[in-house]
Amino acid sequence: MERIDSLVKLLSRLPGIGGKSASRIAYHLIGADETYNKALGNAIATIKENIHFCPVCGAYAEADRCEYCLDEGRDKNLLCVVEQPQDVITIASSGIYNGLFHVLGGAINPLEGIGPDQLSFASLKQRVKEGSFKEVIIATNPTEEGDTSALYIRQILKPFDITVTRLASGLPIGGDLEYADRLTLARSIRGRVSF
Amino acid sequence: MERIDSLVKLLSRLPGIGGKSASRIAYHLIGADETYNKALGNAIATIKENIHFCPVCGAYAEADRCEYCLDEGRDKNLLCVVEQPQDVITIASSGIYNGLFHVLGGAINPLEGIGPDQLSFASLKQRVKEGSFKEVIIATNPTEEGDTSALYIRQILKPFDITVTRLASGLPIGGDLEYADRLTLARSIRGRVSF
């Protein structure tokens, strides 16, 4: 079945989808509603056409600027710096952050040849210089690359009279001490808070 | 992000894809190659258009008959009865079966109102009557419904001078006795073979 095989091959290139899941999805689609298949197929085929990067903050945008930069209701004193555009959506959908965003486009990773010049540090500095921000929250990943980028941000924002913070690291809520990795545990001990 | 949300919603209706995986796939697609997205989208949107059921055996077919019925190299003395069209592909791709197929379209399940009349038992009987089959291998699932269907097949094929067999049930190869469920273990003991 050439057509099924080809669909299975395409599906199994998606993240988290192995050969078995790809087959299962393909057979599901053969039995699924035609309208649904067309809607899904079209959404996949055109997703890149309709989404670009916000020229101000680098988040995904459907209009000329992203919904966060366009939203007058957001707190213009707060700026949250993230690595990737999807991190913006993750943080915005948490519902506890109502400020603006800045997407670096990755993290400093000398081993892969990603230095500060490949990321949007310059425009971050420019935005802080020209904006009304009182606090910059660094929300890069709690990895070596994310930490390096965080240190770099602290460095370039030093000239400004602005609070720079970093998301707390530690044990995940609902997690079990027994399953915490050594690094997370070490961070949660070093960063212990009075109680 | 209306477009991303709508893609995530469509993706999360696929089997085995939850909300988190759907988001992950959607972001992957935004960053993926446009040619790939178009190929995948088109394959999904058109999969039903190009696939129908073989009028002879009920397997998936791209031509007027399925590739197994059209293949002159397959053993016309052997007929394997399965529940679903995808089971044909599973058995064919195992590489150890070279006969023909018959798809029931499901299994007898009185609780869900599926009786023998809803399944292709009549055409199975007809094919056995008119064909040159020497053996019918029942490969329905090792479930209550599959077993009931197997008994029903044995019953309707009684008038014919033909061997009727059923796939062996027992411990899966590479499995661990400790993790075998009670029913599988019971079957493997009842069906023990001399060694």
Side-chain angles (χ1 to χ4, degrees), chain B residues 37-137:
Chain B
N37 288 2
K38 293 221 180 295
L40 176 62
N42 186 52
I44 289 173
T46 61
I47 190 77
K48 273 178 84 88
E49 288 167 23
N50 301 292
I51 299 210
H52 54 274
F53 297 108
C54 175
V56 178
C57 74
Y60 291 131
E62 288 180 84
D64 62 329
R65 280 196 284 159
C66 74
E67 57 181 301
Y68 311 105
C69 287
L70 286 172
D71 183 353
E72 286 298 323
R74 296 190 81 90
D75 188 344
K76 286 180 172 45
N77 296 322
L78 277 175
L79 185 65
C80 178
V81 183
V82 296
E83 293 184 15
Q84 303 292 350
Q86 53 263 45
D87 298 334
V88 170
I89 302 171
T90 306
I91 290 177
S93 62
S94 77
I96 60 155
Y97 178 73
N98 193 34
L100 298 177
F101 290 98
H102 189 84
V103 179
L104 293 176
I108 297 175
N109 189 342
L111 287 177
E112 293 194 3
I114 301 169
D117 293 348
Q118 272 96 63
L119 306 167
S120 65
F121 291 112
S123 68
L124 169 63
K125 202 172 164 180
Q126 197 65 23
R127 284 182 78 188
V128 169
K129 196 176 167 185
E130 293 170 355
S132 60
F133 302 114
K134 290 190 178 129
E135 180 178 352
V136 169
I137 303 173

Side-chain angles (χ1 to χ4, degrees), chain A:
Chain A
M1 299 299 291
E2 214 178 300
R3 281 194 167 264
I4 301 182
D5 289 351
S6 122
L7 176 58
V8 168
K9 257 185 217 129
L10 287 166
L11 284 168
S12 57
R13 281 169 57 187
L14 293 172
I17 308 286
K20 284 252 171 186
S21 317
S23 295
R24 200 172 154 214
I25 292 172
Y27 296 134
H28 174 85
L29 289 168
I30 293 170
D33 180 48
E34 180 114 38
T35 320
Y36 167 73
N37 289 1
K38 295 225 177 295
L40 175 62
N42 186 52
I44 290 174
T46 62
I47 191 73
K48 275 177 83 91
E49 288 168 22
N50 301 288
I51 299 209
H52 53 274
F53 296 108
C54 174
V56 178
C57 75
Y60 291 131
E62 289 179 83
D64 62 328
R65 279 194 286 158
C66 74
E67 56 181 301
Y68 310 104
C69 287
L70 286 171
D71 183 353
E72 286 299 324
R74 296 190 81 90
D75 188 344
K76 287 181 170 49
N77 295 322
L78 278 175
L79 185 65
C80 178
V81 184
V82 296
E83 293 183 15
Q84 302 293 347
Q86 54 262 46
D87 298 335
V88 171
I89 302 171
T90 307
I91 289 177
S93 62
S94 77
I96 61 154
Y97 179 73
N98 193 35
L100 297 177
F101 290 98
H102 189 85
V103 179
L104 294 177
I108 297 174
N109 189 343
L111 286 178
E112 293 195 2
I114 301 169
D117 293 348
Q118 272 98 62
L119 307 168
S120 64
F121 290 112
S123 68
L124 169 64
K125 200 171 166 180
Q126 196 65 22
R127 284 182 79 189
V128 169
K129 194 176 169 186
E130 293 170 357
S132 59
F133 301 114
K134 291 191 178 125
E135 181 179 351
V136 169
I137 303 173
I138 305 174
T140 52
N141 289 328
T143 58
E144 205 171 315
E145 293 79 23
D147 288 349
T148 309
S149 307
L151 288 169
Y152 191 82
I153 292 169
R154 196 176 62 182
Q155 193 64 33
I156 61 170
L157 296 185
K158 256 200 184 137
F160 306 102
D161 179 26
I162 202 166
T163 310
V164 176
T165 57
R166 176 113 168 83
L167 289 195
S169 285
L171 300 170
I173 304 305
D176 195 316
L177 215 68
E178 194 181 338
Y179 299 118
D181 61 288
R182 221 165 50 87
L183 281 173
T184 301
L185 203 57
R187 269 218 201 187
S188 75
I189 294 171
R190 257 207 321 269
R192 66 194 180 279
V193 291
S194 84
F195 181 71

